[in-house]
Amino acid sequence: MTGELSPIDKAKFVAAKKSVEFVEDGMRVGLGTGSTAAWMVRCLGELVREDGLKIRGVPTSTRTAALAREVGIEVISLDEARWLDLTIDGADEFDGEFNLIKGGGGALLQEKIVATASDRMIVISDVSKEVENLGAFPLPVEVIPFGWQTSKALVEEMLDSMDVLGQSSTLRMNGDSPFFTDEGNHIIDLHLTRIGNPRQLAMVLNQIPGVVENGLFIDICDTVIVGFGDGRVQVRDINDDSVEEDKLEFVDSDNLFTDLSE
């Protein structure tokens, strides 16, 4: 099965496979949302079923919760867990200071809450997500439905004073209807091209009435695991400024790859 994967999917898989080595018996683990995180959940499920790993997972979306239950991971709420040992999630972009853009899958609010309630956050990614400056990927901003057009206008007006190249924004759609998050909110995607000061932008966005949260994750990520299409992985840790490299061999597993349609 792995022979049929594209280089990008192989890179996502090896990053996810490497990340579960950091999960220990008895941990409470935040389970991210997205295509790379789905690989991780599958890998964790395999460890639970075949190696007897005992963990409790706190998912960041309804679809991650469904996948976790499907592969045999015990799912609990964040209120039940109260605090997490580790969160593993993907990212749409990351820079050299481990600042992230997340929310391409629409789960940024739960993802940020879970990540900040963890002792450690590990981001898993293929190398294509690494950028010098954030902003090529549209920045998601979650807003409540009431007055969303006013919130959108206020965001666009605020962008005039920010260090960004683009200033356009669009309401995320699901077919012909607005997209709704798990919390019943809308998402406005900001097309900024380049974000010169992510920290400032994140703070100012959250001061706008109607804005619930934004997809800039600042000072949250501790470790980035970067996968490559040839099976190489780099583990980069911001706390000790270290980079470790490994190479994983691909082993076909019907249980792992069956029905994975990310």
Side-chain angles (χ1 to χ4, degrees):
M1 176 65 74
T2 51
E4 300 172 8
L5 297 178
S6 69
I8 290 294
D9 282 334
K10 288 180 180 178
K12 292 178 179 181
F13 170 71
V14 294
K17 188 74 171 177
K18 184 66 177 180
S19 73
V20 302
E21 295 180 9
F22 293 85
V23 179
E24 299 176 3
D25 212 48
M27 276 188 169
R28 294 158 295 180
V29 183
L31 307 175
T33 295
S35 58
T36 312
W39 291 114
M40 176 271 299
V41 173
R42 289 269 176 166
C43 290
L44 272 181
E46 189 174 49
L47 291 176
V48 168
R49 297 189 309 273
E50 298 186 6
D51 296 351
L53 179 69
K54 298 185 185 303
I55 61 169
R56 291 181 291 173
V58 174
T60 55
S61 66
T62 54
R63 59 187 180 278
T64 296
L67 177 59
R69 292 188 179 99
E70 176 188 328
V71 299
I73 297 173
E74 179 185 355
V75 171
I76 62 173
S77 69
L78 183 57
D79 288 334
E80 290 174 294
R82 302 189 66 178
W83 195 259
L84 304 177
D85 300 288
L86 174 67
T87 287
I88 306 175
D89 204 347
D92 298 303
E93 284 185 345
F94 69 93
D95 67 14
E97 297 181 357
F98 292 15
N99 298 316
L100 319 171
I101 287 183
K102 290 180 52 56
L108 65 99
L109 179 57
Q110 290 191 25
E111 288 174 334
K112 188 173 283 191
I113 292 171
V114 168
T116 54
S118 305
D119 287 336
R120 183 180 188 182
M121 182 191 188
I122 295 177
V123 162
I124 48 178
S125 174
D126 63 87
V127 69
S128 71
K129 305 295 179 60
E130 183 174 9
V131 296
E132 184 174 349
N133 296 105
L134 299 178
F137 190 91
L139 173 63
V141 178
E142 187 161 340
V143 299
I144 66 171
F146 176 81
W148 72 263
Q149 294 187 64
T150 299
S151 299
K152 180 174 179 289
L154 288 170
V155 168
E156 291 174 344
E157 181 180 355
M158 175 273 298
L159 291 175
D160 287 336
S161 61
M162 293 291 105
D163 184 8
V164 297
L165 288 183
Q167 297 180 12
S168 65
S169 66
T170 54
L171 177 69
R172 188 176 298 186
M173 303 296 289
N174 182 17
D176 295 329
S177 303
F179 174 86
F180 282 93
T181 68
D182 282 353
E183 291 75 36
N185 297 319
H186 293 324
I187 287 182
I188 297 171
D189 288 309
L190 308 186
H191 306 274
L192 307 177
T193 306
R194 183 188 65 83
I195 301 172
N197 192 333
R199 186 183 306 276
Q200 178 190 43
L201 181 59
M203 292 177 61
V204 174
L205 276 169
N206 283 8
Q207 294 174 6
I208 295 175
V211 171
V212 179
E213 191 51 84
N214 68 83
L216 286 166
F217 284 51
I218 311 296
D219 297 332
I220 298 176
C221 175
D222 300 285
T223 304
V224 175
I225 300 178
V226 184
F228 298 81
D230 61 359
R232 288 181 299 121
V233 287
Q234 286 184 350
V235 180
R236 308 177 188 177
D237 192 286
I238 199 169
N239 297 309
D240 57 14
D241 194 28
S242 65
V243 179
E244 298 179 3
E245 189 159 316
D246 194 6
K247 187 167 184 178
L248 303 184
E249 298 298 327
F250 293 107
V251 178
D252 289 342
S253 171
D254 291 338
N255 291 335
L256 187 60
F257 293 101
T258 298
D259 298 330
L260 186 59
S261 57
E262 289 293 323

